[in-house]
Structures are given as C-alpha cells and as structure tokens.
Amino acid sequence: MRLDQLYQEIILDHYKHPHGRGLRDPFGGEAHHVNPTCGDEVTMRVAVDSAGVLSDISYDGQGCSISQASASVLHELLRGRRADEAARVHEAFAELMGGRGAVEPDEDLLGDGVAFAGVAKYPARVKCALLPWMAFKDAAARAGVAVTSPAA
Amino acid sequence: MRLDQLYQEIILDHYKHPHGRGLRDPFGGEAHHVNPTCGDEVTMRVAVDSAGVLSDISYDGQGCSISQASASVLHELLRGRRADEAARVHEAFAELMGGRGAVEPDEDLLGDGVAFAGVAKYPARVKCALLPWMAFKDAAARAGVAVTSPAA
Amino acid sequence: MSTAAIPQGMPQYEDKPRFDVEKVRADFPMLDREVNGHRMVYLDSGNTSQKPRQVLEVMQAHLERHNGNVSRSVHTVGTEATEAYEGARAKVARFINAPSVDEVVFSKNATESINLVAYSFSDRADDPRFRIGPGDEIVISEMEHHSNIVPWQLLCERTGAKLRWFSITDQGRLGLDKLEDLINERTKIVSYALVSNTLGTINPTSAITTRAKQVGALVMLDASQAVPHIPVDVQDLNVDFIAFTGHKMCGPTGVGVLWGRYELLNAMPPFLGGGSMIETVSMSGSTFAAPPARFEAGTPPIVEVVGLGAAVDYLSGIGMEAIAWHEKELTTYALDALLAVPGLRIFGPETPVGRGGTLSFALDGVHPHDVGQVLDSVGVEVRVGHHCARPVCARFGVPAMTRASFYLYTTTEEVDALVRGLDQVRKIFG
Amino acid sequence: MSTAAIPQGMPQYEDKPRFDVEKVRADFPMLDREVNGHRMVYLDSGNTSQKPRQVLEVMQAHLERHNGNVSRSVHTVGTEATEAYEGARAKVARFINAPSVDEVVFSKNATESINLVAYSFSDRADDPRFRIGPGDEIVISEMEHHSNIVPWQLLCERTGAKLRWFSITDQGRLGLDKLEDLINERTKIVSYALVSNTLGTINPTSAITTRAKQVGALVMLDASQAVPHIPVDVQDLNVDFIAFTGHKMCGPTGVGVLWGRYELLNAMPPFLGGGSMIETVSMSGSTFAAPPARFEAGTPPIVEVVGLGAAVDYLSGIGMEAIAWHEKELTTYALDALLAVPGLRIFGPETPVGRGGTLSFALDGVHPHDVGQVLDSVGVEVRVGHHCARPVCARFGVPAMTRASFYLYTTTEEVDALVRGLDQVRKIFG
Ligand SMILES: Cc1ncc(COP(=O)(O)O)c(C=O)c1O
Ligand SMILES: Cc1ncc(COP(=O)(O)O)c(C=O)c1O
C-alpha cells in the first residue's frame, strides 16, 4: 500500500499537533487562500522585522491533513529566517511538489518538508500541500518582501 | 437506382413547365415560406370568390425541382375547388408525404400529386414537397378559409 | 426483467420489480477494473455514472457507419445521422413523458440547460413572464448544486432582481414553512433540485407548483440527480422546465437536456446564435427557427445524443421502477451500516424514505480529503469536497463532506467494502 | 511520413511533404461503406470530417477504463480522467502553438466559442475593451458562417452597437480596399473566417491585425475551416482569439475550442455559471476561477476532449504541412476538372492559390438540391444549400450552392467520381 508514502508519520504528527497555529499580531501582511475544488482554506500572516527577518508566521485554516501539516511545517521552516533564505526553501518545496515524485528532496533545506515527497505522486493532493505556501507568498509580498518561486 | 422513383417524369415535367406560375391580383391572402435548411422560398396567393371557391392560386419562388413541381401540382389540383374539397386534397397530400412510402396514394383525389409518392421515402426532401402546401395553408387562412391538415 | 433472490435481512417486498445486479454489472466494462490492487468499488455515480457496453457499441457503430452532420444535407449519410439524432430526441421525450418531441432541447450538460433558461430573462424580453428587473424575485434553495445557483446570481447581477432561498431543515429536507412569503407576486421563477446531489433528499413538488401557479411564477426542476434514478414524468410533475445531464444516466459526457413546455420555449428569445438555429439570415438582420432548433446553435453533440438515446433504451429495458427500488433497498442497507460506524454523522435524511441513494457524511475529526484518500487506497471511490454545493456545507457547518452515491450496478457487498474502508480510516487517523 | 508517387499530370514538387493516401484511408472505418450500391465518395468534410480508428480507440479505452468526472475527486479514477482531460488540453495548446495551456478553453463547438466572446461584451464590462454601446462598431465579413454572424447581431441588438461588414470581391476574396474606414477608432472587435466554408478562400491577416492594433480593436479568427487543414500558429497570426471545432478535424462532435490571449481571457467576465468555474460560492455572492476553468461550467465534454487530443496526435503524426499540400494538389486537380464541366460556375477563387479544398459551384439551371440528390444516388456525398452562409449566397445572387469539400483522405479518383456524377445530373435535368 503506497498510502504510508503519503501519510508519513511526520505529516500525521504535524497534523495532530500543529506548530505555531493561530493568528497573531503584529503582522505586516496577510493572505487568505481557498482551494476551490475541496473548499480548504488557510489564512497566513507574516511579520518582518527591520533586519528583514520573518519574525513571525502565524496561520489558521481548515483542511485535510496534508494542507494543515504543510502549514505547520512551513511555520517551522521559515519563521526566523531572512526573506532570501525563505525564498530558497519556498522554491525547493514548490519544486519537490511539482516533481511528480522524481525530485530528490534536500533534507538540509527542507527539514520535515521532505516528508511531503510522497505527496508529489498524488496530483490531486499537491494543491493541498501547496495551499499554505501560496498564501504565505502573497502574505509576504503584502508585508513587503518578495518570495518568488515558480507557481504550481 | 431508386432515383427515378423520386424524379418521376411528371415531376420533371411540372418543374420544367410550371403551371400557373407568377403572382397575380386580386388575392385575398398571401404567405411567404422559407425552408431554413436549404433556403428555398415560395410565395403563395389565394383568391376566394363569394361562393367559397378558390378562384385563383398564384405563386412564385425559387427552389429545387421537387418544391417547384409541387407548387405547380398544387395549383392544378386546387384552383377552382371549394375550400372544403381543397382541405381533403391537402390532407391526403400531407398524409402521403408523412407516410415514408407506406401510404397508397388516391389518384382520384391527388391527380399528378401521386407522382410524389416516391418523395416520401426521402425524408430530407419531404420538406421541399410540403413547402408550397404549407404556404398555401397560411395564405388560405389569411384569405378567410380554413384548410386544416396535420402539420408535417 | 429477471427477478433475483431478495438478500437476507431485507424487507421482502415481493411485488416490487427487481433485476439481477450481477447481470447488470456484466454490462459495464469499467466495473472490472482494479484500483490500487483492489477490485474497484465505484461509489461516485452521483458525480458521473459508468456506461454500459450497449451504449458504447451504439456510439461506436454510429461513428463507424453513420457519421455525418445533421439536418443540413440531402445525402444518405447526413439523412441517416439526422434520423439517429432525431430518433434519440423521440426516445428522450418518451422517457420523461414529454407531450411533444419538440419540447426536448439538447445542450452540452445540465449546467448549460439551466443557463439557457436564466439567459431568457431580461429587461428587454417581449414576453412578460421573462421580463425581469429590480423588485422581481427568483427563488432557489440552499441545497442547490452551484449550477443551479450561479446562473441565477449572474442574472440578478445583470438585472437587479433579488435571489431568495428555501432553507434546509436539520433533517436535510426543504424548509416549506415560509412558502407563502417566499413565493409571492414578485416571484418570476422558482428553480430547485428534484433530488439533492449532497443530501439525497427527494423534494416535494405539488405544494410548490400550486403556490407558484397561484402567483404566476414559473417552476424549473434541476432533475440531474432524479432522471437517472427514479421515474420522472414531466406531465405528472406539472412544472415548466426540467434540466438533466447525459453522463449521470449511463450516457456520455457532452450532452444535456432542457425540457420545457412548448409554449414557453416558443416565447423565449434565442440564446446562442449560429448555424441551424436560424430561419433566415441577412446582413440587415435574422429570424429564428422554432424550438427546439432555436436553442441548438451550431453542430450539436450528435454521437452523444445518439449515445443518450441508447442509455435511455438501456434504462427503460431494466425499468426505472426497478432501478429506484434497487437503490431504495441499498440505501436502507447502507444507512443501517453507516449509522453503526462510530463517530459517523449523516447529512440529510437518516431514513430511507423520500431520499435517494446518495449518502453524505462526516467521520469524527477526519477531513473528507483524508477519508477519500484512504478509501481510494483500498479501491473504494467516493467523492470528497463541497460537491459543488458550498451553501449546503455552510448550512451544516462543515467545509466539506464525504459522499457515497449508488446506482443500478451498486451492490450491498460494495457498501460493506465502504464500511470496512472507514475502519481503516479510523485506524490511521484515530 | 511515407512518400507516395506523385500522380501524373501534377506538378512534381518533390520537396513537399507527402503521405500515402491509401494508407490514411485505411484508418477511417467510414470510408469503407457503400451508399446506394456505390462505394461512398465522401466530399462533405467541410461539414464534418470522418474519424480515424486511432481516435475511436482512444475514446473507447477512456470510457472502458478511465471513466470518471474531472477535477473534483481525489480518487484514482477521477485523477486519471483529469490527467487525460488536461493532457489533451496541453496537446491542443501545442498544436496551435499557444504560449500557455491556460489559454485553451473547451466549449461544445466553434459556435459556443464565438458566442462566449460575444457575450463578454456589454455595457457593464469592467474592462474598457469589452465595454460596448451605441456608437461602437463590430466588423465581420460577408463570407462568414452564420455562427460568426448571429452572435454579433444579437450583441448589437443587446447593446446598440453597429455591425459592419467586409465585402467579397468577384473572385471570392475579402474586399480590403476600405480597410481604414471599416476598422476605425469606434471598432471594438474584428471577427472573420481564416478560411471560408463556402468559397474556400484563405483570408489575409497581417494587414487587418496591423490596422486593428492601430485603433485598439481586438481581432478574432473563426478558424473552424483552418485548423483542420493548414498549420495554424496563434503566435504567428498575432490575433487575440481563435475559435475552432473538434468534429471537423478528425475529432468527435460535442467539443470546440476557444483560444484567447491569457490576459484577455482573464479580463473577461464569466459566461455560463455553474460547477467548476467558481472560486467560492455563498448565498451572498460568488467569485470565479481563473481561465480556462472560469469558462468551463459544469461537467465538460470529457471523453470528447480526450478524443480531440487523439485527433491532434493523429494529424500531427501525418503532419499539417503534408495535409495542406495534399489538399492543394487535390484542389488544383479538381479546379481543372470542374471548370471543364459545361455550364459549371465556381464561387470563390478559380486558382489554387490562397484557397483551401472547398469548392462551391452552380450547375446551369439545376437546383443544388437536385444536384446533390443525383450525386447521392451514385454514392457521392456533397453538401447543398446555403451552407450556413446566406449572405455569401446573396452576394453571388443564388439561393443555394453545391459544395464539395476535401480532406486528407480525399483522392483524385473521388474527384473523378464527382465529375462523372455531374454528367448524370446534366443528363436528367438537361
Ligand atoms: C467557418 C465556420 N465557422 C463556424 C462553424 C460552426 O462550427 P460548429 O457547428 O461546430 O459550431 C463552421 C461549421 O459548421 C464553419 O464552417
Ligand atoms: C443536482 C445537480 N445539478 C446540476 C449538475 C450539473 O450537471 P453537469 O455538470 O452535467 O452540467 C449536477 C452534477 O454535477 C448535479 O448533481
């Protein structure tokens, strides 16, 4: 059963015990994204300090294990990073998701994000995994920092 | 070749030498009908005298041999008849045309119209044969006489 | 119709028409396939149905032997194609007991059929029944599919009319208590689902049509989930329009139906303009053909209509009464089985009366996406999401639902497989 | 690509890509059939084309093995169906060299594609390019198919805009002499056929697009008779929209294409409302998905799109350059042969340059219906009537025409059969 490739322990952990969940103040930019095919939603807030560091990333939403775990992992990976570093991680994650399972994930860069390698083989679920990341990108832009990565 | 069932000598004769063609005055009612699939057109005029006799039926139009011959035959058959007699002929002709070749035509009633028996086997051409008859019905109604027959 | 043994544990209504499900299943090539190493259990017929061999063969034969364009040629091939196309119209008309074949309009899907009616309303309409503006009202329900919501929202935006909604009771039935207020002298049209695609509810018609006639409003039924599953007789229903779609009733995609009372269709302006819907075209203006041609602009879905005709033959051969009864028995069985699953909540009627074989549910704290994914891993194909009916989800306070939907080829063993799959889900996400 | 011997009497352009017509014919099951006891000579491909085995097989396999609804399920069957559907979109995009797959919108036929664009214009449009009212102008041509006339007439009726027309020269070419007057600052859109369905003319584009860009007007091409027959590259053409239809290019009925520049599609309001075209729906209002989904309301023609993808593969495998050259040679041969028939008059260019393999003609005083009927009796299938282009007939002073139209599977022997058939016609009606 390929199912445990998708539902890796790490993903289920993040889903059941999300990190940094809840919307917090202050923030520089906020974005709300919806997955129109399933109705999943996420709101992302990004706070940037004067040194260009993402001092907080807070979020809320409702959705499946993949989208919720992905938001939790994003929070873990990007909070406290400089925007340009965050962009590199963002890009690597988006590349992994678009790779249909053929991309070898970089554990140093992606941390728990490597657990999503299996998701890339489920086209219908890639959108779930990317939902928080796309919302984050918009929120960051609204907070005044650019996190560019190829759109999914 | 079934073709000569369709293009009976009588039909080709009426087509090449139409009877009573041309629009004439006076008339009590006029109707213009179009076959939207092929663009054939016919204009029919009906004059009714005080005794309820169709004193003139005049027509003009452009179209294929079947529609033009049919107008000529109609003129021959119905001019000078009383409206109720015309209705019987009209009905018999419409029945023949809707019969897919299974209706035995009544020569006494239909005269040269029996030549159209073969047309009934060509669904695409039935409309051509009926075009003048439908226009006639409308024109007669506008002239104040009812010529009812089942619509094709 | 063959009679099969009535499964143990089911009420023994021996007078009900029945058929042999296994024999029916043998007609559907797709039902043989595997999914993730398991025999596929297809419980997504509400989304799209599988197609029997009989339909595929008719379509194949048409394309290999009679392929031509319709109503434009005098040649043999064109005449044959036209006869096949118009023959299918007659079959569909008979299937829904339409008084005239000319009341059957072919569209691309139910969605287009509903839009066609919505676009007939405007402030410029000649016929007062289709003239609409500020102060006028349109009534739909909270349990509609998006295809019976958005066309009316767009119409209201274009014209300033107001959209009003039937509510849903906690049991998943249409809220009729405010009927007199909801449908009133300002109402131009009432449009709602005969059978809900999420809750499975079979909605009442006579109270609504009676009230609508009282105030001079038109009534349209979205029969997309009805025509495939229960006998539908438009004369009996006494409504003005119904819409349905080929791919949910054993037919192909690409074809839908709008049935309308002839007199109304005849009062409607053209919608899509183009070939075959005209009477005459000139540079100074055009005139239009009578219905149904007026609403069938361009080359229609010829082989799809022919396929739909074959689907109607297939369904009639088995008998709609028998199909409805089969689904009723299955639903009884499935409601019993699902309600016994710990933490499972059914959205819609929990009794197998006044409902069809479409069961939406929630499982504890597990998101439907995850439910569907685990079920798929054991070959059980259900739909998850908002089912194109977000207002229903909002009504029941959930972002999404899991839905199992049955058809004539569904078996009690497949319901068992669903229940076993749900155990798996609870193991992983428990 | 195999090279066949170049028939005697034809110019020996050896560098041109060629294919073996007999091998191609073997792919088309319909071409084996008889009509009235004669081997069928199908000269009505401009009306609808025949379908190769390769397309039928892909459709059959899809329905038997991957039939599910698209973009709504996480299950395996739904995912496979979605991949097949979106894969076909990518094929179509590549076939017309679209910069992005998201510029390819699937409709039910070319007619719907054109209506979709026409309905994007209104007096309420947000984007000024689609805002239209009295004083504004739309330019089409006298040689348009009704499907590229009536949508614009209806738009003008709705909005008070004015419809203007390119004329046709005596040689059957577009009259470009008044270009500057015809396309001016009041022009919102210019829409015309890239290839005429009656005259066969291949119309010029660069003078027109240049002028349209000067005045800020949009340009749409009705490419229904172009995409099946000649290489079409939307970037090369430098237009804003093109419309075409599946059934004329070896694909099934029930599917059409609208290609548009993404930025324009994105500026367009929704047309048909319903499932799958939304972002979110609530009782207070809805928001809409990005193109192409915004314009694909309801269940799309899934297996039809998959079939169109297979058709594009088939045509690409043979090569559009080779197909265009084959038809050019045939047209040369047919023009020579037809112009030698006593009393025959060609409508449209009499030279095989700047024209495709569609030949309309009149025979003496014989009505086209009668010409078509006699030809059918010897198995030759041509179209007769106004060909959904009454203004062209009016322009040339005839109520109807007879049309022979060729495709990749047409042979010189079939042209000979046509000419022999015309002798018969003259015998009966001489
Ligand atoms: C030039 C042209 N435009 C538009 C159409 C309409 O195509 P469809 O009937 O598939 O919508 C046709 C063919 O009928 C055509 O030849
Ligand atoms: C109740 C209901 N209405 C309308 C539709 C729309 O049908 P289609 O997508 O074929 O247009 C559906 C199915 O999707 C439905 O279930």
Side-chain angles (χ1 to χ4, degrees):
Chain A
M1 190 165 81
R2 286 159 63 198
L3 200 61
D4 37 356
Q5 281 183 29
L6 177 68
Y7 292 125
Q8 304 242 345
E9 212 50 46
I10 302 178
I11 291 182
L12 291 178
D13 264 3
H14 274 278
Y15 175 49
K16 290 173 188 167
H17 312 288
H19 301 202
R21 188 183 175 99
L23 294 171
R24 288 178 293 278
D25 285 316
F27 64 93
E30 181 181 281
H32 175 77
H33 274 214
V34 181
N35 179 340
T37 55
C38 62
D40 283 4
E41 307 184 11
V42 69
T43 305
M44 275 277 164
R45 287 183 178 177
V46 172
V48 188
D49 70 15
S50 54
V53 167
L54 307 175
S55 54
D56 194 17
I57 297 172
S58 68
Y59 65 95
D60 206 353
Q62 48 189 8
C64 64
S65 56
I66 305 295
S67 69
Q68 299 306 296
S70 178
S72 172
V73 167
L74 181 153
H75 170 270
E76 281 284 290
L77 278 172
L78 302 188
R79 198 186 50 157
R81 296 231 192 194
R82 282 210 325 276
D84 57 342
E85 290 168 6
R88 275 181 57 220
V89 177
H90 197 282
E91 212 160 307
F93 189 79
E95 196 196 334
L96 179 62
M97 286 299 97
R100 315 212 112 213
V103 172
E104 194 57 54
D106 177 346
E107 183 146 10
D108 290 346
L109 206 56
L110 289 176
D112 280 2
V114 299
F116 286 82
V119 177
K121 290 184 198 146
Y122 291 80
R125 305 306 293 278
V126 166
K127 276 187 213 158
C128 308
L130 284 174
L131 184 69
W133 295 76
M134 293 298 146
F136 165 76
K137 200 174 96 178
D138 275 7
R142 285 170 195 164
V145 297
V147 179
T148 37
S149 95
Chain B
M1 190 164 82
R2 286 159 63 200
L3 201 59
D4 35 358
Q5 281 182 29
L6 178 69
Y7 291 125
Q8 305 242 344
E9 210 51 45
I10 302 178
I11 292 182
L12 292 178
D13 263 3
H14 274 278
Y15 175 49
K16 290 174 188 166
H17 312 289
H19 302 201
R21 189 185 174 99
L23 295 171
R24 288 179 293 276
D25 284 316
F27 62 95
E30 181 182 281
H32 175 79
H33 275 214
V34 181
N35 179 340
T37 54
C38 64
D40 283 5
E41 307 183 12
V42 69
T43 304
M44 274 279 164
R45 287 183 179 176
V46 172
V48 189
D49 69 15
S50 54
V53 168
L54 306 174
S55 55
D56 194 18
I57 297 171
S58 68
Y59 65 94
D60 207 355
Q62 46 189 9
C64 64
S65 57
I66 304 295
S67 69
Q68 298 307 295
S70 178
S72 171
V73 167
L74 182 154
H75 171 269
E76 282 282 290
L77 279 171
L78 303 188
R79 200 186 50 159
R81 296 230 195 195
R82 283 209 326 274
D84 56 341
E85 290 169 6
R88 275 181 58 219
V89 177
H90 196 283
E91 213 160 305
F93 189 78
E95 197 196 332
L96 179 63
M97 286 300 96
R100 314 211 114 214
V103 171
E104 195 57 52
D106 176 348
E107 184 145 11
D108 289 346
L109 207 57
L110 289 176
D112 280 2
V114 300
F116 287 81
V119 176
K121 290 185 198 146
Y122 291 80
R125 306 305 294 279
V126 166
K127 276 187 213 157
C128 308
L130 284 174
L131 185 68
W133 296 76
M134 293 298 145
F136 165 75
K137 199 173 97 179
D138 275 8
R142 286 172 195 163
V145 296
V147 180
T148 36
S149 95
Chain C
M1 213 165 312
S2 63
T3 12
I6 300 168
Q8 282 278 321
M10 288 219 168
Q12 308 290 309
Y13 296 93
E14 279 170 13
D15 56 328
K16 294 292 176 181
R18 281 191 172 72
F19 56 86
D20 182 342
V21 190
E22 286 308 324
K23 237 176 88 192
V24 162
R25 288 180 68 84
D27 290 334
F28 291 79
M30 263 292 286
L31 297 181
D32 269 344
R33 74 163 270 176
E34 297 203 335
V35 165
N36 290 321
H38 300 258
R39 190 180 220 219
M40 178 180 73
V41 172
Y42 188 75
L43 300 180
D44 198 17
S45 293
N47 202 353
T48 198
S49 75
Q50 296 307 332
K51 329 293 175 208
R53 201 170 23 78
Q54 288 85 339
V55 169
L56 303 184
E57 282 168 5
V58 165
M59 291 173 69
Q60 188 84 0
H62 181 85
L63 289 173
E64 286 184 354
R65 295 207 289 273
H66 310 289
N67 176 60
N69 212 326
V70 296
S71 59
R72 294 176 175 183
S73 333
V74 299
H75 61 57
T76 300
V77 169
T79 304
E80 288 173 7
T82 304
E83 291 192 341
Y85 180 76
E86 294 301 334
R89 194 193 304 277
K91 289 177 187 187
V92 170
R94 227 175 298 124
F95 192 62
I96 57 170
N97 198 26
S100 155
V101 290
D102 292 332
E103 298 184 337
V104 171
V105 176
F106 290 118
S107 61
K108 68 174 175 178
N109 53 24
T111 303
E112 185 192 354
S113 299
I114 298 169
N115 277 276
L116 197 173
V117 174
Y119 270 100
S120 300
F121 289 84
S122 77
D123 57 4
R124 307 174 318 279
D126 287 332
D127 192 294
R129 291 169 296 183
F130 293 100
R131 203 174 308 130
I132 199 167
D136 291 324
E137 297 177 358
I138 293 163
V139 177
I140 62 174
S141 95
E142 266 190 81
M143 67 169 87
E144 297 314 306
H145 187 280
H146 292 164
S147 292
N148 197 26
I149 298 176
V150 182
W152 306 112
Q153 288 181 328
L154 294 175
L155 172 61
C156 289
E157 262 177 43
R158 284 195 299 276
T159 62
K162 187 178 161 191
L163 193 57
R164 300 190 62 187
W165 308 67
F166 278 107
S167 61
I168 307 176
T169 69
D170 290 341
Q171 289 72 43
R173 310 232 181 235
L174 218 52
L176 292 179
D177 48 331
K178 304 217 180 71
L179 185 61
E180 309 265 304
D181 166 62
L182 199 56
I183 303 179
N184 59 54
E185 282 66 25
R186 295 183 300 278
T187 311
K188 303 299 286 190
I189 186 166
V190 181
S191 182
Y192 67 102
L194 182 50
V195 177
S196 157
N197 73 312
T198 42
L199 307 174
T201 325
I202 301 178
N203 288 315
T205 53
S206 84
I208 295 171
T209 55
T210 303
R211 175 63 183 158
K213 283 198 197 319
Q214 238 170 46
V215 299
L218 300 174
V219 178
M220 168 151 179
L221 293 177
D222 175 357
S224 304
Q225 297 288 349
V227 172
H229 300 285
I230 57 177
V232 168
D233 177 325
V234 294
Q235 300 192 48
D236 237 39
L237 287 169
N238 196 20
V239 294
D240 298 298
F241 300 103
I242 77 168
F244 56 103
T245 199
H247 67 95
K248 294 191 204 285
M249 53 188 288
C250 296
T253 50
V255 55
V257 176
L258 172 68
W259 168 84
R261 288 200 291 113
Y262 190 81
E263 177 267 318
L264 281 170
L265 291 176
N266 203 223
M268 283 158 56
F271 171 41
L272 301 180
S276 306
M277 53 71 76
I278 57 101
E279 183 184 63
T280 179
V281 170
S282 77
M283 290 171 64
S284 56
S286 300
T287 56
F288 306 107
R294 186 186 300 164
F295 304 109
E296 296 182 355
T299 301
I302 304 171
V303 71
E304 293 75 13
V305 163
V306 170
L308 179 57
V312 156
D313 282 344
Y314 182 79
L315 293 172
S316 305
I318 291 170
M320 290 308 298
E321 289 286 357
I323 292 171
W325 183 254
H326 171 75
E327 293 184 33
K328 198 183 193 68
E329 288 192 321
L330 260 177
T331 304
T332 309
Y333 184 90
L335 281 169
D336 281 353
L338 286 176
L339 287 168
V341 173
L344 189 144
R345 169 188 174 204
I346 296 271
F347 301 105
E350 294 189 359
T351 51
V353 175
R355 64 132 51 244
T358 291
L359 281 75
S360 294
F361 56 88
L363 194 64
D364 266 356
V366 193
H367 188 280
H369 251 186
D370 296 317
V371 175
Q373 193 79 57
V374 176
L375 288 177
D376 182 63
S377 76
V378 295
V380 178
E381 311 295 277
V382 296
R383 184 164 169 199
V384 297
H386 53 56
H387 310 289
C388 296
R390 292 204 75 173
V392 179
C393 295
R395 163 64 180 83
F396 287 99
V398 291
M401 297 175 176
T402 303
R403 182 186 75 178
S405 55
F406 310 148
Y407 207 7
L408 72 162
Y409 41 67
T410 309
T411 65
T412 52
E413 290 76 29
E414 292 185 310
V415 174
D416 296 341
L418 167 65
V419 172
R420 279 197 308 276
L422 292 174
D423 285 345
Q424 288 261 12
V425 174
R426 288 170 44 244
K427 251 176 234 144
I428 296 180
F429 287 93
Chain D
M1 211 165 315
S2 65
T3 11
I6 301 167
Q8 282 278 321
M10 288 219 169
Q12 309 290 310
Y13 296 92
E14 280 170 12
D15 56 327
K16 294 292 176 182
R18 280 191 172 71
F19 56 86
D20 182 342
V21 190
E22 286 308 325
K23 238 176 86 192
V24 162
R25 288 180 69 84
D27 291 334
F28 291 79
M30 264 291 287
L31 297 182
D32 268 345
R33 73 164 271 176
E34 297 203 333
V35 164
N36 290 322
H38 299 258
R39 189 180 221 219
M40 178 180 72
V41 172
Y42 188 75
L43 300 180
D44 197 18
S45 293
N47 201 353
T48 197
S49 75
Q50 296 307 333
K51 329 294 173 206
R53 202 171 22 79
Q54 288 85 341
V55 168
L56 303 185
E57 281 168 5
V58 166
M59 291 174 68
Q60 186 84 1
H62 180 85
L63 289 174
E64 287 183 355
R65 295 206 289 273
H66 311 288
N67 177 60
N69 212 326
V70 295
S71 58
R72 294 175 175 184
S73 335
V74 299
H75 61 57
T76 299
V77 170
T79 305
E80 289 173 7
T82 305
E83 291 192 341
Y85 181 76
E86 294 302 333
R89 194 192 304 278
K91 288 177 188 186
V92 170
R94 226 176 298 125
F95 191 63
I96 57 170
N97 198 25
S100 155
V101 288
D102 292 332
E103 297 184 337
V104 171
V105 176
F106 290 118
S107 62
K108 69 173 175 179
N109 52 25
T111 303
E112 185 192 355
S113 299
I114 297 169
N115 278 276
L116 198 173
V117 174
Y119 271 99
S120 299
F121 290 84
S122 77
D123 55 6
R124 306 172 319 279
D126 289 333
D127 192 295
R129 291 170 296 183
F130 293 99
R131 204 175 309 131
I132 199 167
D136 292 324
E137 296 177 359
I138 293 164
V139 177
I140 62 174
S141 94
E142 268 189 79
M143 69 169 86
E144 296 314 306
H145 187 280
H146 294 163
S147 292
N148 197 27
I149 297 176
V150 181
W152 306 111
Q153 287 181 328
L154 292 175
L155 172 61
C156 289
E157 263 177 41
R158 284 195 299 277
T159 61
K162 187 177 160 192
L163 193 57
R164 300 190 60 187
W165 307 66
F166 278 106
S167 62
I168 307 175
T169 69
D170 290 341
Q171 289 72 45
R173 311 237 181 231
L174 218 52
L176 292 177
D177 48 333
K178 303 215 181 72
L179 185 60
E180 309 265 304
D181 165 63
L182 199 56
I183 303 178
N184 59 55
E185 282 67 24
R186 296 183 300 278
T187 311
K188 304 298 288 190
I189 187 166
V190 181
S191 183
Y192 68 102
L194 182 49
V195 177
S196 157
N197 73 313
T198 41
L199 307 174
T201 325
I202 300 178
N203 287 316
T205 54
S206 85
I208 295 171
T209 55
T210 303
R211 175 63 184 159
K213 284 201 195 319
Q214 237 171 45
V215 299
L218 300 173
V219 178
M220 169 150 179
L221 293 178
D222 175 357
S224 303
Q225 297 287 350
V227 172
H229 301 286
I230 57 177
V232 167
D233 177 326
V234 293
Q235 301 192 48
D236 237 40
L237 286 170
N238 196 21
V239 293
D240 298 298
F241 300 102
I242 76 168
F244 55 102
T245 199
H247 67 94
K248 293 191 204 285
M249 53 188 287
C250 296
T253 49
V255 55
V257 176
L258 173 68
W259 168 84
R261 288 200 292 112
Y262 190 81
E263 178 268 318
L264 280 171
L265 291 176
N266 204 222
M268 283 157 57
F271 172 40
L272 301 180
S276 306
M277 54 70 77
I278 57 101
E279 184 184 62
T280 179
V281 170
S282 77
M283 290 171 64
S284 56
S286 300
T287 56
F288 305 107
R294 186 184 302 164
F295 305 109
E296 295 181 357
T299 301
I302 304 170
V303 70
E304 292 77 11
V305 163
V306 170
L308 180 58
V312 156
D313 281 345
Y314 182 79
L315 293 172
S316 306
I318 292 170
M320 290 307 299
E321 290 285 357
I323 291 171
W325 183 253
H326 171 76
E327 293 184 32
K328 198 182 192 69
E329 287 191 323
L330 261 179
T331 304
T332 309
Y333 184 89
L335 281 170
D336 281 353
L338 287 176
L339 287 168
V341 173
L344 189 143
R345 168 186 174 204
I346 295 272
F347 302 105
E350 294 188 358
T351 52
V353 175
R355 65 130 54 241
T358 291
L359 281 75
S360 294
F361 56 88
L363 193 63
D364 264 355
V366 193
H367 188 282
H369 251 186
D370 295 317
V371 175
Q373 193 79 56
V374 176
L375 289 176
D376 181 63
S377 75
V378 294
V380 178
E381 311 295 276
V382 296
R383 184 165 170 200
V384 297
H386 54 56
H387 310 289
C388 296
R390 291 203 76 172
V392 178
C393 294
R395 162 65 179 81
F396 287 99
V398 291
M401 298 175 175
T402 303
R403 181 186 75 178
S405 54
F406 310 148
Y407 207 6
L408 72 161
Y409 42 67
T410 311
T411 65
T412 51
E413 290 76 28
E414 292 185 308
V415 173
D416 296 341
L418 167 65
V419 171
R420 277 197 310 275
L422 292 174
D423 285 343
Q424 288 260 12
V425 175
R426 288 171 45 245
K427 252 175 235 146
I428 297 180
F429 287 93

